[in-house]
């Protein structure tokens, strides 16, 4: 493949000129020729000496000009350089809370709970003007483009929140006022007139849509925020008609994300003609248009390089299912991305290892709880790998759970699926076995050889067979974590 890219954390490059050069050299040596360091981070901090918003500079980057050193190192090692920005997700301490997205109760995203924990980020409203988009985000892109001759800037989180309440934003004051105007639910010059159709002379109520009757109910002004929000998301264009206003709600969100792309491209291309714009987007723009306002087919005039995140966690099923399913959206993406100058699918390294990682973590936990009943199920899934890495530890666990027949993964799988009932009947021991601490140490930092390197080979092979001429991997830290530098080198150099 011609283009081999890698998303990286800013911290991966270290804080000296020498460490940045060593970092880029290591990446280039493993065969990567494009990197995307994260320079506007998830908590809203930036990793360059910004003159616009000096209070938002991440610690240490006031004095250490990381982008400058990255340019030098990437020029030396012939690596293409994209500045990765987290767009609409900010820290909870963002200095202008008025620009935050609000739900139907007027609360920002950090008031939500996600998987049992408080959601620790504040998403900003893409629509509000003046607001976060035109007063903060676009100016940051402009400043970066003016200061640094990177090959590209890179969008991420260019959307509404997805794993968090995908229908509940945004109902800020601006959106409550402007969505109805944008969608033509009311006229500006005669806002009180209902403009009902003179005759309803056709079978389908919706066939009378064209004179644009007033959609808002007559008591709109006196409705509460939650009542207005409910109306905009759940009611219909015609009272008594189809409940179709959600269509306009989703279109409104898609419009503003597209509009941001347009404004950003204007600013970047004016500041530095020739600088490219790339974008990390979701795998299916039709679905992401509905759920997160990201119909990226519409971004083509404003984005040069499409990089859909075809991560395993965006697909159902096992790793083998993933390799089969992955080829499908790539074929579709070739069409969806045909108006972009370049298109490279992205894949995540960490999610490849669920089969090895999740049962190992669960097993360590079960041992700490003295829970033999569940431990046997998790052990069965990784027994062969454990035996290969640490025979002694494997045997101790096998003895404890009363299971010694893990010849290979297939045996273990058969054992787990056919003899599980027998083991569920064994009462839980209740106290942690002696090896629990050793197992915890192993699980927290397994030897690199624990991870099946062939998963990366199979993934890259699958992508290669689709005929695309690039692949972007997430991320640099995972190459360390799963010990994949040599595998990458063998594949890419
Ligand atoms: Zn809003």
């Amino acid at each position: 493949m011609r283009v081999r890219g890698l998303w990286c954390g800013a911290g991966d490059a270290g804080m000296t000129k020498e460490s940045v050069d060593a970092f880029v050299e290591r990446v280039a040596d493993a065969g990567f020729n494009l990197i995307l360091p994260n320079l506007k981070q998830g908590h809203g901090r930036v990793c360059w000496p910004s003159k616009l918003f000096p209070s938002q500079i991440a610690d240490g980057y006031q004095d250490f000009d990381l982008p400058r050193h990255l340019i030098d190192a990437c020029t030396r090692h012939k690596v293409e350089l994209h500045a990765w920005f987290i767009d609409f997700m900010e820290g909870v301490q963002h200095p202008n809370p008025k620009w935050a997205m609000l739900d139907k109760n007027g609360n920002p995203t950090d008031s939500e709970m996600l998987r049992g924990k408080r959601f620790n980020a504040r998403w900003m409203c893409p629509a509000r003007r003046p607001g976060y988009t035109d007063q903060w985000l676009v100016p940051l892109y402009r400043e970066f483009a003016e200061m640094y001759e990177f090959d590209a800037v890179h969008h991420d989180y260019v959307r509404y929140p997805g794993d968090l309440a995908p229908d509940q934003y945004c109902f800020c004051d601006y959106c409550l006022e402007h969505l109805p105007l944008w969608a033509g639910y009311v006229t500006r010059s005669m806002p009180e007139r209902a403009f009902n159709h003179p005759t309803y002379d056709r079978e389908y109520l919706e066939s009378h849509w064209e004179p644009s009757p007033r959609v808002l109910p007559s008591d709109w002004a006196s409705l509460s925020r939650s009542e207005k929000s409910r109306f905009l998301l759940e009611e219909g264009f015609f009272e008594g008609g189809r409940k179709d206003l959600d269509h306009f709600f989703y279109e409104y969100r898609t419009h503003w994300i597209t509009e941001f792309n347009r404004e950003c491209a204007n600013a970047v291309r004016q500041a530095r003609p020739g600088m490219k714009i790339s974008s990390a987007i979701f795998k299916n723009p039709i679905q992401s248009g509905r759920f997160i306002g990201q119909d990226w087919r519409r971004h083509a005039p404003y984005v040069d390089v499409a990089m859909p995140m075809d991560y395993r966690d965006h697909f159902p099923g096992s790793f083998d299912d993933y390799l089969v399913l992955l080829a499908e959206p790539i074929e579709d993406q070739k069409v969806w991305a045909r108006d972009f100058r370049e298109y490279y699918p992205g894949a995540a390294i960490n999610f490849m290892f669920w089969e090895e990682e999740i049962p190992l973590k669960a097993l360590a936990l079960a041992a700490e709880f003295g829970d033999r009943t569940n431990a046997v199920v998790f052990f069965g899934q990784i027994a062969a790998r454990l035996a290969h890495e640490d025979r002694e530890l494997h045997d101790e666990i096998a003895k404890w759970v009363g299971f010694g027949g893990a010849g290979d993964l297939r045996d273990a799988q058969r054992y787990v699926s056919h003899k599980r009932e027998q083991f569920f009947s064994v009462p839980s021991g209740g106290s942690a076995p002696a090896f629990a601490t050793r197992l915890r140490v192993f699980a927290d930092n397994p030897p690199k050889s624990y991870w099946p390197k062939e998963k990366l080979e199979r993934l890259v092979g699958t992508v290669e067979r689709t005929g695309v001429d690039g692949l972007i991997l997430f991320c640099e830290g995972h190459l360390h974590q799963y010990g994949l530098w040599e595998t990458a080198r063998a594949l890419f150099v």
Side-chain angles (χ1 to χ4, degrees), residues 193-208:
R193 295 276 296 276
F195 290 120
N196 290 323
H197 207 279
T199 54
Y200 288 86
D201 54 355
R202 282 161 284 169
E203 181 182 354
Y204 301 108
L205 188 54
E206 280 74 21
S207 52
H208 303 87

Side-chain angles (χ1 to χ4, degrees), residues 24-278:
V24 175
E25 185 174 17
R26 184 169 63 242
V27 166
D29 189 53
F32 293 95
N33 56 11
L34 189 166
I35 59 169
L36 307 100
N38 183 204
L39 300 180
K40 179 181 181 287
Q41 304 188 320
H43 47 48
R45 300 295 167 132
V46 301
C47 301
W48 72 89
S50 169
K51 292 175 187 66
L52 266 183
F53 305 119
S55 67
Q56 299 302 304
I57 303 170
D59 286 347
Y61 296 106
Q62 290 90 349
D63 305 314
F64 181 66
D65 194 343
L66 174 63
R68 181 65 51 210
H69 293 296
L70 281 166
I71 292 169
D72 292 346
C74 284
T75 305
R76 196 167 317 129
H77 298 287
K78 298 189 172 54
V79 171
E80 187 172 330
L81 186 55
H82 295 208
W84 167 16
F85 280 52
I86 306 281
D87 285 342
F88 285 102
M89 195 175 78
E90 275 278 328
V92 293
Q93 302 296 341
H94 186 88
N96 201 330
K98 265 197 351 226
W99 295 341
M101 284 185 193
L102 300 180
D103 69 7
K104 63 181 192 299
N105 299 314
N107 294 322
T109 53
D110 47 291
S111 65
E112 299 265 2
M113 299 294 285
L114 183 66
R115 302 185 189 107
K117 281 191 217 143
R118 166 116 12 210
F119 186 73
N120 193 27
R122 186 167 289 179
W123 282 78
M124 310 305 281
C125 177
R128 178 186 279 268
R129 301 287 187 279
Y132 175 76
T133 305
D134 65 331
Q135 303 295 307
W136 188 273
L137 187 54
V138 171
L140 272 178
Y141 272 99
R142 185 186 295 112
E143 176 184 64
F144 190 89
E146 283 167 352
M147 287 175 71
Y148 300 109
E149 57 273 37
F150 270 43
D151 297 293
V153 287
H154 179 70
H155 293 302
D156 194 10
Y157 290 73
V158 53
R159 57 182 177 88
Y160 285 72
D163 49 358
L164 176 81
D167 289 323
Q168 306 307 320
Y169 298 88
C170 174
F171 297 116
C172 73
D173 294 349
Y174 182 92
C175 289
L176 286 183
E177 187 188 339
H178 285 83
L179 189 161
L181 291 171
W182 173 85
Y185 293 169
V186 64
T187 59
R188 286 176 178 76
S189 44
M190 292 184 234
E192 299 312 317
R193 295 276 296 276
F195 290 120
N196 290 323
H197 207 279
T199 54
Y200 288 86
D201 54 355
R202 282 161 284 169
E203 181 182 354
Y204 301 108
L205 188 54
E206 280 74 21
S207 52
H208 303 87
W209 63 277
E210 183 51 39
S212 301
R214 179 185 154 113
V215 173
L216 297 184
S218 52
D219 59 351
W220 176 256
S222 65
L223 297 183
S224 68
R225 182 192 303 275
S226 70
E227 287 164 334
K228 284 180 176 172
S229 306
R230 196 197 60 79
F231 180 87
L232 293 176
L233 184 58
E234 292 176 22
E235 283 304 325
F237 195 87
F238 290 95
E239 198 181 341
R242 299 193 66 238
K243 304 285 193 191
D244 56 1
L245 289 193
D246 58 355
H247 167 83
F248 301 93
F249 174 76
Y250 300 131
E251 272 297 315
Y252 174 78
R253 304 192 331 159
T254 300
H255 165 78
W256 283 112
I257 294 299
T258 306
E259 191 64 12
F260 158 66
N261 275 277
R262 193 183 68 81
E263 291 170 30
C264 187
N266 286 346
V268 168
R269 288 166 181 172
Q270 191 182 40
R272 188 175 293 278
M275 185 180 236
K276 292 193 290 185
I277 300 169
S278 60

